[in-house]
Amino acid sequence: MMYSFRNDYSEGAHPSILKAMNDENLNQKIGYGMDEICEQARALIRKECDAQQADVHFLVGGTQANLTVIAAALRPYEAVIACESGHINVHETGSIEACGHKVCTAYAKDGKLTPAMIQKIVDFHADEHMVKPKMVYISNATELGTIYYKEELTALHQICKELDLYLFMDGARLGSALTAEGNDLTLADIARLCDVFYIGGTKNGALFGEAVVINHEQIKKEFRYNIKQRGGMLAKGFLLGLQFKTLFENDLFYSLAKQANECAQRMVKVIKDAGFEFYADSPTNQLFPILPNSLADKISEKYAFQVQEKINDETTALRFVTSWACPNHVIDEFINDFKSYTK
Amino acid sequence: MMYSFRNDYSEGAHPSILKAMNDENLNQKIGYGMDEICEQARALIRKECDAQQADVHFLVGGTQANLTVIAAALRPYEAVIACESGHINVHETGSIEACGHKVCTAYAKDGKLTPAMIQKIVDFHADEHMVKPKMVYISNATELGTIYYKEELTALHQICKELDLYLFMDGARLGSALTAEGNDLTLADIARLCDVFYIGGTKNGALFGEAVVINHEQIKKEFRYNIKQRGGMLAKGFLLGLQFKTLFENDLFYSLAKQANECAQRMVKVIKDAGFEFYADSPTNQLFPILPNSLADKISEKYAFQVQEKINDETTALRFVTSWACPNHVIDEFINDFKSYTK
Amino acid sequence: MMYSFRNDYSEGAHPSILKAMNDENLNQKIGYGMDEICEQARALIRKECDAQQADVHFLVGGTQANLTVIAAALRPYEAVIACESGHINVHETGSIEACGHKVCTAYAKDGKLTPAMIQKIVDFHADEHMVKPKMVYISNATELGTIYYKEELTALHQICKELDLYLFMDGARLGSALTAEGNDLTLADIARLCDVFYIGGTKNGALFGEAVVINHEQIKKEFRYNIKQRGGMLAKGFLLGLQFKTLFENDLFYSLAKQANECAQRMVKVIKDAGFEFYADSPTNQLFPILPNSLADKISEKYAFQVQEKINDETTALRFVTSWACPNHVIDEFINDFKSYTK
Amino acid sequence: MMYSFRNDYSEGAHPSILKAMNDENLNQKIGYGMDEICEQARALIRKECDAQQADVHFLVGGTQANLTVIAAALRPYEAVIACESGHINVHETGSIEACGHKVCTAYAKDGKLTPAMIQKIVDFHADEHMVKPKMVYISNATELGTIYYKEELTALHQICKELDLYLFMDGARLGSALTAEGNDLTLADIARLCDVFYIGGTKNGALFGEAVVINHEQIKKEFRYNIKQRGGMLAKGFLLGLQFKTLFENDLFYSLAKQANECAQRMVKVIKDAGFEFYADSPTNQLFPILPNSLADKISEKYAFQVQEKINDETTALRFVTSWACPNHVIDEFINDFKSYTK
């Protein structure tokens, strides 16, 4: 039977989340996220972020979170700076542009923005004949599985303050980033350094849900209007609160992400040991090995994955993604299989 | 303990839906609604609609469905015709305008558009200095709980054909409409008479979900691009398919709506029997009694509801909504209470 | 030969404007309105408005001015309040909606908003499920030729302050309003009472051009970005400055408007004297007589005009507009003709 | 006294245009471009383009023309392909994005798109998670003064047909392109090869004005609604027709552009002869010499120009633009001055 490493949203939710839904199912709640369970989840997140003044809003998905935050923050002629590979630039069907805003991009091999890239873009946009960059969008983990370190995020925070830019972190895979080997950031650091960010539930044990944490007063203002206008106001909003409450009550958020990372890194090790290189150096739950096409074909008989990029006629960069639901025995089997293919 | 008649989304999902989610939870699926369960749900809906050529898409919520359909259908200068009380005109925070389109409105006491209203709006919009009406938006059941009859919908269909307008039915409460006493429409009728419509799950037994059924080729075209761009593409799309499959496998969709309607109509009866009038004559799961303020206060000690409109200094039109999850004994109790208050 | 009363933009510019263009034609200027002539025109306007702190921007046309101001002022979910008959609501092809904003309307027979209408609209929009009204749009003169008096504008100013709304006056026909019999407002009053307004040149002696005067700091901010983004930044911007400089150097602005008004009011008088009624009571350069169809047909043999509204099978409300370029002898002739038709 | 080579819109209009405006000034016309003079201008343009079926619309400026055409042509999720240096990508303050559309870019040193660049962008955009490229935007002359040759434009036409893309040429400097040395395209070629393009008046002898020529039926459809909605419908539209009629009645359009080109190329020659290199190889009215900073400083004492790009600490690429109004004696003087500076 085929096992899919295509993404980290192939399964439903951690059983404790389903159980919580079941337990609360017929208790009447106020709609639209104004219920007590959402309030409890918000309190847990504020505590975990050490950010008592933060506003916390729950949205269903990542594209929705990105477009709602950016549309809420920017005036019409203002633009957002992102990596060329950034999700908002490539994989959201122009949703930011549909809200009226340009995405200004810089190329970064590892998917991470630097202060120099930001400075160059701001310098280029000199007058009113050009858009005005006003926000920096980063992902952590990035599209290439790489993560930002505290020193890097602090530097981004500083240049954003200097240049009067909002710093926004897309945390669709924030669990993976925070539990990756070498990570030195905490949620509290991120809350201190970013004007707004979100904590991904969809890819880390929830059925769906992203928790947007807003620190900047300007973005906080009437944010619920933006949610409703963009179609992101869930009628049965308690479903979102319930999931985040479950994830943050018992560190489930971290343990699930850790499981995904460990599975991925075990795969990385066996591939590295066999002498193959990687398209990007990811310590998280995505891996991008560059493999001979014949080997890729062999693997594809039992495992599903994605093609990242054709490297040359003989080799291809592949993309494997592990999830919180990935059983250890699947990785054991993959390792055995891989060794046998490359023997 | 307080019972809420504030809306029909105070509870979670019918237990059979939760069970299905539980059963499928760890089976890996392809993302974004491309999985087999969604395909099965689509097949069931096409069959129920007797519309084998229809495209069926699943979205999370009603505002999202409305804005995605309308933005997909209209060119920038085209407008949508709706009742003044229409959900898109009043209760979606300008989401249609945020997609660039004007809502042209007509006043209708019962919340139902007529061919004459449509003709008048089209006649008024004479040239390129004005928007061009291109779509008619109706809700069934309406915001006032009223329903369209086959003769009425046929007439709307005909004038839309004559005037080259799309006919779009918001079916957030379509279950209630189809199971109301006096209804003479079927899903197949609606699929035949409307260019596009949706079948509401959120307010009828699902955790969330609206099934958009598209019959017009022009609106079908690349509709998934529109879903993704507007933030409505659910990563774990199988959750939507699963819910609609459950609702349509065993007529659950109809039996749940019927339960809601029956609860509401029992309340209508006791209030009518006591001699009170109604703001709108609804055969569905919403009721709008006009009650003395003192009686309203009394009721509010045990039951939550909404204020529809202040009628005069002594009386107010109230809004009670029942749901599929409303137990009969709650209605029994309400009836007893009401009788005792008005004795 | 036919004379047209169809509108007030049937002719070119006052000869002194053409002369100024000719004189300056080959002198090189800096582009985009940053030249000295624009600066001089801005100074003249600030002086006339007694508003030294105001920002003044020149735009080509009225729809452009309206959409640029409104898009610059509002956040995405914010709406603008206007009369049903307001130009932005009816005759701009949904340009405000194309910028993402809803127009909330009140019906006023005379085309003038009152504080009560504004209060009612604001009260109705209670929460984040509805748009948030944030600006009031009025025209002076209105679409029906009526004008605002100082007491009325002061009352609008006050309620806007109370409700935290911007007050925006469309002055496409401001010259006509300010020179109408009975008017008690000055440009300085308007600058004091409105957050933003514009002074129409197109309909008052210029080839084209509207001068936007901004008093509110929030709307001033980076306004030129908005102009450029919406396509309103004229390369040879000095053409706009030159026209307004000419209009305001020698009170030409007022004398031209006065001529238009006087022509119209002479027509009003002969029609009133003949016993006919008017659709609206306009002291400016538009008149809306309600005439028998046979009389209208007779007039149409020598004079072009527009139909405002069919009143009944025998009579129609017509719309005649006079311009600054209307020669007195044409009015003399019209009066004679009218008398002969109605003898 | 200073002479400005900053751009080609520093002066007003060719005297014959001012004369025509003067002659027609007080003749009443129908508004909004529906007058006879506009009709005559359209006929002249259709004839010159050998395109009797084309629709011709007159707009005031280039950004307005670009955004109106693109917004009219694309559905919300569709994107336009352009060079990185393309005017819509850099110098229109995100006006295309403000209409909801992404600009997908390719880098080209000479500012010219190739079929390979287009193919690569289309191939990359594989599914509904990404925008769908639907239009190719090119400028002729380009931002760097380069021009497209018939073979190149034919190749672009072919790949656009293959890939179902609209081909749109921004002709703000089309006169310069068509009269450049080496050019082998005619207006008729362009009308045959492009789905839509415009002929620039602003930079070639008019006060303002761009003539949009539409060949594709889909883009023709109700185009005037788009013009009005975007604020581009000039009330006194005859001013636009009058200017294009004058430009095309006696080949003035070509002779003016030729004069600008010849002035520029005389400057190119003297700079080349002195041994300097150029940033781009432009046969039109823009030149981009790379000069030592000391020389640039010297030139700047008598001539105004723009900085294109800092090359290194000692040299800078400059941008000089000549216009139709540039007198030969100014170029004579520049040549003498340049020789003396570099002696």
Side-chain angles (χ1 to χ4, degrees):
Chain A
M1 189 188 147
M2 189 72 103
Y3 188 84
S4 171
F5 291 114
R6 259 200 228 98
N7 59 53
D8 34 15
Y9 40 86
S10 299
E11 296 92 359
H14 188 267
S16 62
I17 281 180
L18 285 191
K19 182 174 181 308
M21 284 191 182
N22 220 73
D23 292 348
E24 282 292 342
N25 190 47
L26 292 182
N27 298 338
Q28 289 191 314
K29 316 271 185 329
I30 291 180
Y32 302 117
M34 307 301 277
D35 62 283
E36 277 186 34
I37 294 175
C38 282
E39 222 28 81
Q40 292 162 12
R42 287 188 190 101
L44 282 168
I45 287 173
R46 283 195 199 97
K47 193 177 165 207
E48 189 70 20
C49 293
D50 192 18
Q52 290 309 316
Q53 306 307 317
D55 280 2
V56 180
H57 300 276
F58 301 112
L59 289 168
V60 166
T63 297
Q64 199 177 80
N66 284 330
L67 76 87
T68 305
V69 166
I70 293 171
L74 301 187
R75 297 190 69 198
Y77 55 86
E78 291 177 340
V80 56
I81 296 173
C83 261
E84 262 185 34
S85 56
H87 207 261
I88 58 168
N89 190 48
V90 180
H91 283 107
E92 302 190 354
T93 318
S95 65
I96 305 308
E97 291 84 0
C99 294
H101 302 288
K102 193 176 192 72
V103 183
C104 299
T105 59
Y107 173 75
K109 197 189 169 329
D110 61 358
K112 290 162 67 177
L113 282 180
T114 65
M117 294 173 192
I118 294 167
Q119 183 74 57
K120 191 176 165 190
I121 288 173
V122 169
D123 288 347
F124 180 71
H125 290 84
D127 64 25
E128 71 264 24
H129 291 257
M130 305 169 97
V131 294
K132 180 166 177 165
K134 180 67 183 170
M135 178 178 257
V136 169
Y137 164 93
I138 56 174
S139 304
N140 195 27
T142 71
E143 294 298 304
L144 295 171
T146 54
I147 63 173
Y148 284 91
Y149 296 96
K150 196 187 287 192
E151 190 177 356
E152 294 169 333
L153 191 64
T154 303
L156 290 178
H157 168 81
Q158 283 169 347
I159 193 157
C160 286
K161 283 287 156 282
E162 275 168 39
L163 299 176
D164 195 21
L165 304 168
Y166 299 123
L167 182 55
F168 170 31
M169 181 186 283
D170 170 338
R173 289 196 178 94
L174 190 51
S176 281
L178 294 179
T179 57
E181 195 176 327
N183 167 66
D184 58 357
L185 284 170
T186 64
L187 273 180
D189 292 328
I190 289 168
R192 185 172 44 81
L193 295 171
C194 294
D195 294 299
V196 52
F197 67 99
Y198 65 88
I199 303 170
T202 303
K203 292 169 179 166
N204 195 24
L207 287 178
F208 54 85
E210 317 293 311
V212 177
V213 182
I214 311 181
N215 299 305
H216 198 290
E217 294 305 316
Q218 191 60 34
I219 306 176
K220 283 181 184 177
K221 202 185 159 207
E222 293 165 348
F223 193 78
R224 283 176 58 86
Y225 281 85
N226 292 288
I227 296 177
K228 179 63 188 170
Q229 184 181 59
R230 305 298 172 177
M233 187 79 86
L234 190 67
K236 303 184 182 179
F238 74 92
L239 293 170
L240 288 160
L242 200 57
Q243 295 183 82
F244 277 96
K245 186 182 166 200
T246 307
L247 286 173
F248 278 99
E249 256 174 356
N250 51 10
D251 282 347
L252 186 63
F253 180 76
Y254 299 104
S255 58
L256 293 179
K258 208 156 169 246
Q259 169 66 10
N261 285 354
E262 285 174 358
C263 289
Q265 296 308 314
R266 288 179 65 204
M267 294 168 75
V268 166
K269 185 168 186 309
V270 70
I271 296 171
K272 263 195 188 152
D273 286 352
F276 296 108
E277 306 224 316
F278 286 75
Y279 183 82
D281 194 21
S282 158
T284 59
N285 71 322
Q286 301 185 72
L287 49 151
F288 301 87
I290 300 173
L291 299 183
N293 296 342
S294 56
L295 177 53
D297 288 348
K298 192 72 199 157
I299 296 171
S300 74
E301 289 169 15
K302 282 185 62 178
Y303 304 96
F305 51 84
Q306 291 188 312
V307 168
Q308 177 74 10
E309 193 179 308
K310 182 184 163 176
I311 300 297
N312 57 41
D313 282 354
E314 278 86 43
T315 61
T316 304
L318 309 179
R319 176 175 180 257
F320 294 78
V321 191
T322 57
S323 94
W324 61 271
C326 184
N328 289 335
H329 70 81
V330 166
I331 303 301
D332 295 341
E333 195 172 329
F334 177 87
I335 289 172
N336 284 337
D337 287 337
F338 191 86
K339 284 182 179 167
S340 78
Y341 301 155
T342 54
K343 198 157 43 183
Chain B
M1 189 185 142
M2 188 73 104
Y3 188 85
S4 170
F5 290 114
R6 259 201 228 96
N7 59 53
D8 34 15
Y9 40 86
S10 299
E11 295 93 358
H14 188 267
S16 63
I17 281 179
L18 285 190
K19 182 174 179 310
M21 283 191 183
N22 219 73
D23 292 348
E24 282 291 344
N25 190 47
L26 293 181
N27 298 339
Q28 290 191 311
K29 316 271 186 329
I30 291 181
Y32 303 116
M34 306 300 276
D35 61 283
E36 278 186 33
I37 295 175
C38 282
E39 221 28 79
Q40 292 162 13
R42 287 187 189 101
L44 283 167
I45 287 173
R46 283 195 199 95
K47 195 178 163 204
E48 188 71 21
C49 293
D50 192 18
Q52 289 308 316
Q53 305 308 316
D55 280 1
V56 180
H57 300 276
F58 300 113
L59 289 169
V60 167
T63 297
Q64 199 176 80
N66 285 329
L67 76 89
T68 305
V69 166
I70 293 171
L74 302 187
R75 296 190 70 198
Y77 54 87
E78 291 176 342
V80 56
I81 296 173
C83 262
E84 261 185 36
S85 56
H87 207 261
I88 58 168
N89 190 48
V90 180
H91 282 108
E92 302 191 354
T93 319
S95 66
I96 305 309
E97 290 84 359
C99 294
H101 303 288
K102 194 177 192 73
V103 182
C104 298
T105 60
Y107 173 75
K109 196 187 170 329
D110 61 358
K112 291 163 67 177
L113 281 181
T114 65
M117 294 174 193
I118 294 168
Q119 184 74 57
K120 189 175 168 192
I121 288 173
V122 169
D123 288 347
F124 180 71
H125 289 85
D127 64 26
E128 71 264 25
H129 292 257
M130 305 169 96
V131 294
K132 180 167 179 164
K134 180 66 185 169
M135 179 178 256
V136 169
Y137 165 94
I138 56 174
S139 304
N140 194 29
T142 71
E143 294 297 304
L144 295 172
T146 53
I147 63 173
Y148 283 91
Y149 297 96
K150 196 186 288 193
E151 190 176 359
E152 294 169 332
L153 192 63
T154 303
L156 291 178
H157 168 82
Q158 283 169 346
I159 193 158
C160 285
K161 281 288 157 279
E162 276 169 40
L163 299 176
D164 195 22
L165 304 168
Y166 299 123
L167 182 56
F168 171 31
M169 180 186 284
D170 170 339
R173 289 195 178 93
L174 190 50
S176 282
L178 294 180
T179 58
E181 195 176 328
N183 168 67
D184 58 358
L185 284 169
T186 64
L187 272 179
D189 292 328
I190 289 168
R192 187 172 44 81
L193 296 170
C194 294
D195 294 298
V196 52
F197 67 100
Y198 65 87
I199 304 170
T202 302
K203 292 169 178 166
N204 195 24
L207 287 179
F208 54 85
E210 317 292 311
V212 177
V213 182
I214 311 180
N215 298 306
H216 198 291
E217 293 305 315
Q218 191 60 33
I219 305 176
K220 283 181 184 177
K221 203 185 158 205
E222 293 165 347
F223 193 78
R224 283 176 59 85
Y225 282 86
N226 293 289
I227 296 176
K228 179 63 190 171
Q229 185 181 59
R230 306 297 173 180
M233 187 78 87
L234 190 65
K236 302 183 183 180
F238 73 93
L239 294 169
L240 288 160
L242 200 57
Q243 295 183 81
F244 277 95
K245 187 184 165 198
T246 306
L247 287 172
F248 278 98
E249 256 173 357
N250 50 10
D251 282 347
L252 185 62
F253 179 77
Y254 299 103
S255 57
L256 293 179
K258 207 155 169 249
Q259 169 67 10
N261 286 352
E262 286 174 358
C263 289
Q265 296 307 314
R266 290 179 64 205
M267 293 168 74
V268 167
K269 185 168 187 308
V270 71
I271 296 171
K272 264 197 187 147
D273 287 351
F276 296 107
E277 305 226 315
F278 286 76
Y279 183 82
D281 193 21
S282 158
T284 58
N285 70 322
Q286 302 183 71
L287 49 151
F288 301 87
I290 299 174
L291 299 183
N293 295 341
S294 56
L295 177 52
D297 287 348
K298 192 75 198 155
I299 297 171
S300 73
E301 289 169 16
K302 280 185 63 179
Y303 303 95
F305 53 83
Q306 292 188 312
V307 168
Q308 178 73 9
E309 195 179 305
K310 181 183 164 175
I311 300 298
N312 56 40
D313 282 351
E314 278 85 44
T315 61
T316 303
L318 309 179
R319 177 174 180 259
F320 295 77
V321 191
T322 57
S323 95
W324 60 272
C326 185
N328 288 335
H329 69 81
V330 166
I331 304 301
D332 296 341
E333 195 171 329
F334 176 87
I335 289 172
N336 284 337
D337 288 337
F338 190 85
K339 285 182 178 165
S340 77
Y341 301 155
T342 54
K343 197 155 42 182
Chain C
M1 189 187 145
M2 188 73 103
Y3 189 84
S4 171
F5 291 114
R6 259 199 228 96
N7 58 54
D8 34 15
Y9 40 87
S10 298
E11 295 92 0
H14 188 267
S16 63
I17 281 178
L18 285 190
K19 181 173 180 311
M21 283 191 183
N22 220 73
D23 292 347
E24 282 291 342
N25 192 46
L26 292 182
N27 298 338
Q28 291 191 311
K29 315 271 185 332
I30 292 181
Y32 303 116
M34 306 301 276
D35 62 282
E36 278 186 33
I37 295 175
C38 282
E39 220 28 79
Q40 292 162 12
R42 286 186 190 102
L44 282 167
I45 288 173
R46 282 194 199 96
K47 195 178 162 204
E48 189 70 22
C49 293
D50 192 17
Q52 290 308 316
Q53 306 308 315
D55 280 1
V56 180
H57 299 276
F58 301 112
L59 289 169
V60 166
T63 298
Q64 200 176 80
N66 285 331
L67 77 87
T68 305
V69 166
I70 293 171
L74 302 186
R75 297 190 70 198
Y77 56 86
E78 291 176 342
V80 55
I81 296 173
C83 261
E84 262 185 35
S85 55
H87 207 261
I88 57 168
N89 190 48
V90 179
H91 283 109
E92 302 191 354
T93 317
S95 66
I96 305 309
E97 290 84 0
C99 293
H101 303 287
K102 194 178 192 73
V103 183
C104 298
T105 60
Y107 173 75
K109 195 187 171 328
D110 60 359
K112 290 163 66 178
L113 282 181
T114 64
M117 294 174 192
I118 294 167
Q119 183 75 57
K120 189 175 168 194
I121 288 173
V122 169
D123 288 348
F124 180 70
H125 290 85
D127 64 26
E128 71 264 24
H129 291 257
M130 305 170 97
V131 293
K132 179 166 178 164
K134 178 67 183 169
M135 178 178 256
V136 169
Y137 164 94
I138 56 174
S139 304
N140 194 28
T142 70
E143 294 297 304
L144 296 171
T146 53
I147 64 172
Y148 283 90
Y149 297 96
K150 196 186 287 194
E151 190 176 359
E152 294 169 333
L153 192 64
T154 303
L156 291 178
H157 168 82
Q158 282 169 347
I159 194 158
C160 286
K161 283 288 156 278
E162 274 168 40
L163 299 176
D164 196 21
L165 303 168
Y166 299 124
L167 181 55
F168 170 32
M169 181 186 284
D170 170 339
R173 290 195 177 93
L174 190 50
S176 281
L178 294 180
T179 58
E181 194 175 329
N183 169 66
D184 58 358
L185 283 170
T186 63
L187 273 179
D189 292 329
I190 289 167
R192 188 172 43 82
L193 295 170
C194 294
D195 294 299
V196 53
F197 67 101
Y198 66 88
I199 304 170
T202 302
K203 292 169 179 165
N204 195 25
L207 287 178
F208 53 85
E210 318 292 312
V212 178
V213 182
I214 312 181
N215 299 306
H216 198 292
E217 294 305 316
Q218 191 60 33
I219 305 176
K220 284 181 184 177
K221 204 186 158 205
E222 294 165 347
F223 193 77
R224 282 176 61 84
Y225 281 86
N226 293 288
I227 296 176
K228 179 64 189 170
Q229 184 180 60
R230 304 298 173 180
M233 186 79 86
L234 190 66
K236 302 183 184 180
F238 73 93
L239 294 170
L240 288 160
L242 201 56
Q243 296 184 81
F244 277 96
K245 188 184 163 198
T246 306
L247 287 173
F248 278 99
E249 256 174 356
N250 51 10
D251 281 348
L252 186 62
F253 180 76
Y254 299 104
S255 57
L256 293 179
K258 208 156 167 247
Q259 169 66 11
N261 285 354
E262 285 174 358
C263 289
Q265 296 308 313
R266 290 180 63 204
M267 295 169 73
V268 166
K269 184 168 186 310
V270 72
I271 297 171
K272 264 197 188 150
D273 286 352
F276 297 107
E277 306 226 316
F278 286 74
Y279 183 81
D281 193 21
S282 158
T284 59
N285 70 323
Q286 302 185 71
L287 49 152
F288 300 87
I290 299 174
L291 299 183
N293 295 342
S294 56
L295 178 53
D297 287 348
K298 192 74 197 153
I299 296 171
S300 74
E301 290 169 16
K302 282 185 62 179
Y303 303 95
F305 52 83
Q306 293 188 310
V307 168
Q308 177 73 10
E309 195 178 306
K310 181 182 164 175
I311 301 297
N312 56 42
D313 282 352
E314 279 86 43
T315 61
T316 304
L318 309 179
R319 175 174 180 259
F320 294 76
V321 191
T322 57
S323 96
W324 60 272
C326 184
N328 288 335
H329 70 81
V330 167
I331 305 300
D332 295 341
E333 195 172 330
F334 177 87
I335 289 172
N336 284 337
D337 288 337
F338 191 85
K339 285 182 178 164
S340 76
Y341 301 155
T342 54
K343 198 156 40 182
Chain D
M1 189 188 146
M2 189 73 103
Y3 189 85
S4 171
F5 290 114
R6 259 199 228 97
N7 58 54
D8 34 14
Y9 39 87
S10 298
E11 295 92 359
H14 189 266
S16 62
I17 281 179
L18 285 190
K19 181 174 181 309
M21 283 191 182
N22 219 74
D23 291 348
E24 282 291 344
N25 190 47
L26 293 182
N27 298 338
Q28 290 191 313
K29 316 271 185 330
I30 292 180
Y32 303 116
M34 306 301 276
D35 62 283
E36 278 186 33
I37 296 176
C38 281
E39 221 28 81
Q40 292 162 13
R42 286 188 189 100
L44 282 168
I45 288 173
R46 283 195 198 97
K47 195 179 163 205
E48 189 71 22
C49 292
D50 193 18
Q52 290 308 317
Q53 306 308 316
D55 281 1
V56 180
H57 300 276
F58 301 113
L59 289 169
V60 167
T63 297
Q64 199 176 79
N66 285 330
L67 76 86
T68 305
V69 166
I70 294 171
L74 302 187
R75 297 190 69 197
Y77 56 86
E78 291 175 342
V80 56
I81 296 173
C83 262
E84 262 185 34
S85 56
H87 206 261
I88 58 168
N89 191 48
V90 180
H91 284 110
E92 302 190 353
T93 318
S95 65
I96 306 309
E97 290 84 0
C99 294
H101 303 287
K102 194 178 192 72
V103 182
C104 298
T105 60
Y107 173 75
K109 194 187 171 332
D110 61 357
K112 291 162 66 178
L113 281 181
T114 64
M117 293 172 192
I118 294 167
Q119 183 75 57
K120 190 175 164 190
I121 288 173
V122 169
D123 288 347
F124 180 71
H125 290 84
D127 64 25
E128 71 264 24
H129 292 256
M130 305 169 98
V131 293
K132 179 166 178 164
K134 179 66 184 168
M135 178 177 258
V136 169
Y137 164 94
I138 56 174
S139 305
N140 193 28
T142 70
E143 294 298 304
L144 295 171
T146 53
I147 64 173
Y148 283 91
Y149 297 97
K150 196 186 287 191
E151 190 176 357
E152 294 169 333
L153 191 64
T154 304
L156 291 178
H157 168 81
Q158 283 169 347
I159 194 157
C160 285
K161 283 287 155 281
E162 276 168 40
L163 300 176
D164 195 21
L165 303 168
Y166 299 123
L167 182 55
F168 170 31
M169 181 186 284
D170 170 337
R173 290 196 177 93
L174 190 50
S176 280
L178 294 179
T179 58
E181 196 175 328
N183 169 67
D184 58 357
L185 284 170
T186 64
L187 273 179
D189 293 328
I190 289 167
R192 187 172 42 82
L193 296 171
C194 294
D195 295 298
V196 53
F197 67 100
Y198 64 90
I199 303 169
T202 302
K203 292 169 180 166
N204 195 25
L207 287 179
F208 53 85
E210 318 292 311
V212 178
V213 182
I214 312 180
N215 299 305
H216 198 293
E217 293 306 315
Q218 191 60 34
I219 306 176
K220 284 181 184 177
K221 203 185 159 206
E222 294 165 347
F223 193 78
R224 283 176 59 85
Y225 281 85
N226 293 289
I227 295 176
K228 179 64 188 169
Q229 184 181 59
R230 304 299 172 179
M233 187 78 85
L234 190 65
K236 303 183 182 179
F238 74 92
L239 294 170
L240 288 160
L242 200 56
Q243 296 183 81
F244 277 96
K245 186 184 166 200
T246 306
L247 287 173
F248 278 99
E249 254 173 357
N250 51 10
D251 282 348
L252 186 63
F253 180 76
Y254 299 103
S255 58
L256 292 179
K258 209 156 167 246
Q259 169 66 12
N261 285 354
E262 285 175 358
C263 289
Q265 296 307 313
R266 288 179 64 204
M267 294 168 74
V268 166
K269 185 168 186 310
V270 71
I271 296 170
K272 263 195 188 150
D273 286 352
F276 297 107
E277 307 225 315
F278 286 75
Y279 184 81
D281 194 20
S282 158
T284 58
N285 70 324
Q286 302 185 70
L287 49 151
F288 301 87
I290 300 173
L291 300 183
N293 295 342
S294 56
L295 178 53
D297 288 349
K298 191 74 199 156
I299 296 170
S300 74
E301 290 170 14
K302 281 186 62 180
Y303 303 95
F305 52 83
Q306 293 188 312
V307 169
Q308 177 74 10
E309 195 178 306
K310 181 183 164 175
I311 301 297
N312 56 41
D313 283 352
E314 279 85 43
T315 62
T316 304
L318 309 179
R319 177 175 181 257
F320 294 78
V321 191
T322 57
S323 95
W324 61 272
C326 184
N328 288 333
H329 70 80
V330 166
I331 304 300
D332 296 340
E333 195 172 330
F334 177 87
I335 289 172
N336 284 338
D337 287 337
F338 191 85
K339 284 181 179 166
S340 76
Y341 302 154
T342 54
K343 198 156 42 181

